[in-house]
């Protein structure tokens, strides 16, 4: 129940199984708060990437608000998988994953990435600072195939910067995948702001964890229909 969930949050380690790998993440709730625990939305989005067979090989992937790094680590591992489950290491076919967060969370994020990726894959996963709306010049515009975010919609004062960041990172081909709980009216407000600029579809709902996954793409503007 809820008690177990809270205990898991405050535990120093969280262990997961994705992409035929065991991922063991350090958590540090006391020191870093929300950035340093694995939220359900990240777990649901990892499972969706794996179950839906999203092909990340040879794709440029960026994660916003990476926190502990679970989603970016899983994306890196999935990005090396042949559909038959064979791991391939010649670099032409591996995902290139950029995991971003605010400066305070980076050292922690980097330590989890180092601990959970085999050495030959570490060059495929880069940890970089990104404060939404601020550090955009450090990221080439429209250069990403996938933008991933798990539980990053929770502070209303960040919504405009988050949208500005998504617009900067996306080309018309980019697929955004956001996993979130719709807890409050403000969450609906963010979805409305997103729908004003992107085509948005709900692609998955995990009823046990009450997490929705939305896919957003620039594509044709609504007013063109």
């Amino acid at each position: 129940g809820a008690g177990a969930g809270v205990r898991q949050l405050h535990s120093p380690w969280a262990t997961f199984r994705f992409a035929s790998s065991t991922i063991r993440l350090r958590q540090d709730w006391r020191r870093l708060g929300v950035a340093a625990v694995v939220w359900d939305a990240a777990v649901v989005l990892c499972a969706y990437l794996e179950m839906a067979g999203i092909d990340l090989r040879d794709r440029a992937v960026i994660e916003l608000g990476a926190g502990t790094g679970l989603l970016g680590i899983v994306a890196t591992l999935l990005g090396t998988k042949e559909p038959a489950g064979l791991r391939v290491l010649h670099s032409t076919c591996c995902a290139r994953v950029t995991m971003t967060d605010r400066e305070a969370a980076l050292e922690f994020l980097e330590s989890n990435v180092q601990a959970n990726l085999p050495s030959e894959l570490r060059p495929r996963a880069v940890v970089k600072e990104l404060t939404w709306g601020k550090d955009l010049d450090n990221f080439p515009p429209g250069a990403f195939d996938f933008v991933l975010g798990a539980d990053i919609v929770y502070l209303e004062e960040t919504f405009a910067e988050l949208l500005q960041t998504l617009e900067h990172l996306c080309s018309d081909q980019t697929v955004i995948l956001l996993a979130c709980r719709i807890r409050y009216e403000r969450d609906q407000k963010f979805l409305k702001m997103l729908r004003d600029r992107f085509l948005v579809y709900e692609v998955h709902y995990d009823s046990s964890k009450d997490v929705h996954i939305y896919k957003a793409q620039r594509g044709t503007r609504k007013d063109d229909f």
Side-chain angles (χ1 to χ4, degrees):
V6 171
R7 270 202 307 284
Q8 165 108 25
L9 283 183
H10 289 270
S11 140
W13 295 97
T15 305
F16 303 91
R17 183 100 188 137
F18 287 110
S20 326
S21 307
T22 298
I23 299 159
R24 192 162 182 262
L25 299 173
R26 206 156 61 84
Q27 301 193 119
D28 192 345
W29 175 265
R30 275 186 301 282
R31 200 162 62 89
L32 282 169
V34 295
V37 281
V38 177
W39 296 101
D40 280 345
V43 178
V44 172
L45 188 45
C46 289
Y48 174 77
L49 290 176
E50 188 159 38
M51 289 181 324
I54 309 281
D55 188 359
L56 299 176
R57 288 170 309 146
D58 203 25
R59 297 285 186 268
V61 180
I62 188 165
E63 182 187 0
L64 303 180
T68 57
L70 176 66
L71 182 54
I73 290 166
V74 170
T76 308
L77 292 167
L78 289 173
T80 66
K81 289 271 187 273
E82 290 286 5
L86 301 168
R87 178 165 285 177
V88 277
L89 291 174
H90 39 101
S91 58
T92 49
C93 50
C94 296
R96 300 174 300 289
V97 179
T98 305
M99 294 179 234
T100 68
D101 212 317
R102 295 185 320 274
E103 203 264 331
L106 293 185
E107 188 187 334
F108 184 77
L109 171 58
E110 181 75 59
S111 70
N112 274 333
V113 172
Q114 296 288 338
N116 285 283
L117 286 179
S119 56
E120 70 273 11
L121 290 187
R122 281 184 206 153
R124 315 301 298 171
V126 177
V127 170
K128 273 186 89 166
E129 178 180 358
L130 173 52
T131 301
W132 301 337
K134 304 275 191 301
D135 305 315
L136 298 180
D137 292 347
N138 299 331
F139 297 84
F144 295 93
D145 300 298
F146 288 91
V147 179
L148 306 178
D151 232 342
I152 58 174
V153 177
Y154 58 91
L155 290 176
E156 195 165 331
E157 59 268 27
T158 64
F159 288 177
E161 285 87 354
L162 176 52
L163 281 167
Q164 183 193 350
T165 303
L166 289 172
E167 288 200 295
H168 175 85
L169 297 171
C170 289
S171 71
D172 288 350
Q173 279 70 50
T174 306
V175 173
I176 301 169
L177 290 171
L178 295 177
C180 47
R181 283 205 174 103
I182 301 299
R183 301 181 180 87
Y184 309 106
E185 209 172 295
R186 62 162 189 248
D187 302 331
Q188 296 288 2
K189 182 176 170 183
F190 177 77
L191 283 174
K192 184 184 178 310
M193 291 167 75
L194 189 66
R195 286 191 170 104
D196 285 345
R197 307 188 195 194
F198 296 90
L199 284 172
V200 182
Y201 310 89
E202 183 169 336
V203 290
H204 183 69
Y205 174 63
D206 182 320
S207 54
S208 67
K209 293 188 170 21
D210 187 28
V211 170
H212 303 259
I213 297 179
Y214 296 95
K215 173 183 174 180
Q217 266 186 297
R218 276 234 173 100
T220 322
R221 285 286 193 278
K222 273 208 236 22
D223 39 47
D224 295 342
F225 291 134

